[in-house]
Amino acid sequence: MRWALVKVCLAVTAMVVIAFAVPLGLVIKEMARDRAFSDAERQAATIGPTLTVTTDSQELTRAVLSTEPGGRGRLAVHVPAAEHDGSRLEIGTRRATLDDLETVRTSGRAAIAEVPGGFALLQPTALGSGGTAVVEVFVPEDEVSNGVGTAWLVLAGVGIALIVGSVAVADRLGVRMVEPAQRLAGAAQDLGKGRLGTRVPEEGPTELRSAAVAFNSMADQVVQLLANERELAADLSHRLRTPLTVLRLNAASLGEGPAADQTRAAVEQLEHEVDTIIRTAREQRPQTQGGPGGAGAGCDASEVIRERMGFWSALAEDEGRTVRLAGVDRTVRIPVARPELAAALDALLGNVFRHTPEGTAFAVDVHHSGDAVLVLVSDAGPGIPDPESALARGASGRGGAKGAVGSTGLGLDIVRRVAESTGGDLRIGRSVLGGTEVRIWIGLDGGPAERARRGHRVGRRSGKRRPRGVKGGNTEFRRTPGAGPDL
């Protein structure tokens, strides 16, 4: 494309230069010829007054030699015989033929005759006696073409400069058009090879800039789609941890025997496979934007929390745990999809059962403050030694009697994404029960300014303080037959 543009520009410019330079050169040549013969006519006219007065040879000789062309031997006067005692009188050197002289004398019109070395201007001049003499002025060839060669060289130089300049401009335009296209093609190949971070500069002509913008947008969408797939795979796999926890706890109560050992081994293998799926989905997962709930999603937080606590209370009864629930006696609408809130609660409550000893009490409190909803999950366990590490994406910071074996660190990440999708945040502190308190701040407007303000306000609170104004009484739960996680 680049060389094609250069060739087209070269051809067009060359045709334009030829179309203008050749006629202009011919005009210059004709102007130089006209100038030379106009000077010769003026020189011939200088001898006319003398011929009207006398035809004496000596007088005419002096008059001819007094002129500039006569002194250089370029002026001659031819007087016919009838006007000079019966014989022809010629002053100066004759170069034209007698036939040319006779033709001019007879016709009475000036003429130009080609002679060796140049041209001869033959100018008829009336004599005082009534006859006609012919004044001959010799014009050398170099005077006829004087300045023509220089003018042609200048025109040729200008034409070459125009051609070279047009080729250079066309080449630059070609580069400006080709390079963005080459970058776009290379980026498409890199994206096809799996280099998802490939982007192209939005440069060049308007059309190529639009193509670059479309390519970058497409690449971002590809990355977003892949990230969403990995997030979905990891989240769904993590949600399997909830029923696996139930199976593991139930398997632990089977006692001893081959069947019990096989059941526990199968549960352990299944947990291992789920952890492998989660880690594989997270290994190359890029950071994505957008909340898990999606546009227009929402649910009643109180209803979802009551349902999930109804499920977990059965396990709590089996392990002798004291459960307390507060603040769910009224409807609290939040901009989070029901499955996502259920998954976040299951992740937090599953951590309580997994990482605290049996018999450890826990509580869930809900506080509605008008522009946000605060969900507190507290326990009386040993707590988290390093909350910042626990909040790190993909890290497992939970310690306890049962350790953190098999933990992927995705549970808190699911909770954090749910909170941040609404403009809220997630924080970990020390609960009044003596263990860990996880605070989920869910914004009701989702604005970034409000989120920053709330994050600053929550960050100043002490981890040991409970939020004021929590309403609702305590609720005790009994085992619900057939209850299971809401996936």
Side-chain angles (χ1 to χ4, degrees):
M1 180 179 179
R2 174 182 176 185
W3 293 115
L5 183 61
V6 170
K7 291 177 182 178
V8 170
C9 189
L10 176 62
V12 172
T13 307
M15 288 189 293
V16 171
V17 168
I18 292 174
F20 282 93
V22 173
L24 185 58
L26 296 177
V27 170
I28 292 174
K29 181 179 179 180
E30 190 65 27
M31 290 176 61
R33 178 186 177 89
D34 292 342
R35 182 177 64 252
F37 287 114
S38 296
D39 292 341
E41 289 178 358
R42 287 194 299 270
Q43 294 166 0
T46 59
I47 202 68
T50 302
L51 289 173
T52 59
V53 174
T54 181
T55 57
D56 181 68
S57 176
Q58 294 181 354
E59 293 293 334
L60 290 176
T61 300
R62 284 196 296 270
V64 169
L65 293 177
S66 65
T67 62
E68 188 271 334
R72 299 170 62 182
R74 297 181 180 179
L75 181 64
V77 177
H78 306 282
V79 180
E83 303 296 334
H84 193 269
D85 300 332
S87 63
R88 294 175 60 85
L89 176 63
E90 292 187 352
I91 307 298
T93 303
R94 179 176 61 84
R95 291 180 174 81
T97 63
L98 293 176
D99 292 339
D100 291 334
L101 294 175
E102 187 62 27
T103 301
V104 170
R105 183 182 295 110
T106 302
S107 64
R109 293 193 301 269
I112 298 174
E114 186 173 356
V115 299
F119 299 88
L121 173 67
L122 304 178
Q123 178 70 42
T125 304
L127 298 174
S129 58
T132 302
V134 178
V135 179
E136 178 185 346
V137 180
F138 174 67
V139 181
E141 179 69 30
D142 57 352
E143 289 190 5
V144 174
S145 61
N146 184 28
V148 175
T150 302
W152 279 53
L153 289 176
V154 172
L155 288 176
V158 172
I160 293 174
L162 289 175
I163 293 175
V164 172
S166 65
V167 169
V169 172
D171 182 69
R172 288 297 89 197
L173 290 175
V175 169
R176 187 168 179 265
M177 295 175 61
V178 170
E179 284 187 351
Q182 291 176 341
R183 286 196 297 266
L184 187 60
Q189 293 177 354
D190 291 341
L191 188 64
K193 294 177 181 178
R195 302 186 183 99
L196 301 182
T198 301
R199 298 294 184 275
V200 293
E202 298 174 2
E203 302 173 349
T206 304
E207 294 78 6
L208 292 177
R209 280 203 306 271
S210 300
V213 171
F215 176 85
N216 292 337
S217 177
M218 178 195 68
D220 292 337
Q221 291 179 2
V222 169
V223 172
Q224 183 69 34
L225 290 175
L226 292 176
N228 290 341
E229 286 187 4
R230 294 189 180 100
E231 289 282 358
L232 180 60
D235 290 354
L236 292 178
S237 300
H238 193 277
R239 293 179 189 183
L240 294 177
R241 298 288 295 274
T242 299
L244 283 176
T245 300
V246 178
L247 291 176
R248 181 174 56 83
L249 294 176
N250 290 337
S253 63
L254 293 178
E256 301 296 335
D261 292 340
Q262 290 177 0
T263 301
R264 283 189 286 267
V267 171
E268 183 178 356
Q269 182 179 0
L270 185 57
E271 281 187 320
H272 176 73
E273 295 298 333
V274 170
D275 292 341
T276 301
I277 294 175
I278 295 174
R279 291 192 180 94
T280 302
R282 290 179 54 86
E283 281 179 356
Q284 297 180 347
R285 180 176 59 183
Q287 185 71 25
T288 59
Q289 295 178 351
C299 68
D300 179 6
S302 298
E303 191 272 334
V304 175
I305 293 174
R306 286 195 301 267
E307 179 191 358
R308 300 317 303 152
M309 287 297 291
F311 167 74
W312 287 101
S313 63
L315 298 178
E317 182 180 347
D318 291 342
E319 294 190 356
R321 298 176 182 266
T322 301
V323 182
R324 187 176 65 84
L325 178 63
V328 294
D329 54 343
R330 62 169 179 161
T331 301
V332 179
R333 299 294 302 181
I334 61 173
V336 177
R338 177 189 181 90
E340 303 303 330
L341 179 59
L345 290 173
D346 287 341
L348 293 180
L349 297 176
N351 285 341
V352 173
F353 281 85
R354 187 178 181 84
H355 301 298
T356 61
E358 294 185 6
T360 302
F362 66 93
V364 176
D365 299 328
V366 180
H367 174 61
H368 189 279
S369 63
D371 61 346
V373 173
L374 183 64
V375 179
L376 305 177
V377 179
S378 309
D379 64 60
I384 298 179
D386 189 356
E388 293 184 0
S389 298
L391 286 174
R393 192 177 184 87
S396 177
R398 185 77 179 191
K402 299 182 189 295
V405 179
S407 176
T408 62
L410 187 60
L412 290 179
D413 190 46
I414 294 175
V415 180
R416 177 170 57 187
R417 287 192 299 108
V418 169
E420 290 180 350
S421 68
T422 66
D425 59 11
L426 171 69
R427 296 194 177 267
I428 298 177
R430 178 67 66 174
S431 72
V432 295
L433 298 179
T436 301
E437 179 182 78
V438 180
R439 302 183 179 186
I440 311 173
W441 195 293
I442 301 175
L444 299 183
D445 54 4
E450 180 64 20
R451 173 185 172 183
R453 181 182 65 81
R454 289 197 298 263
H456 176 71
R457 183 174 62 191
V458 172
R460 292 183 300 174
R461 294 183 177 180
S462 169
K464 298 182 179 181
R465 294 183 57 192
R466 304 282 289 180
R468 298 180 180 178
V470 175
K471 297 181 180 180
N474 298 341
T475 304
E476 294 184 357
F477 297 92
R478 293 292 182 267
R479 181 185 298 275
T480 303
D486 184 7
L487 298 179

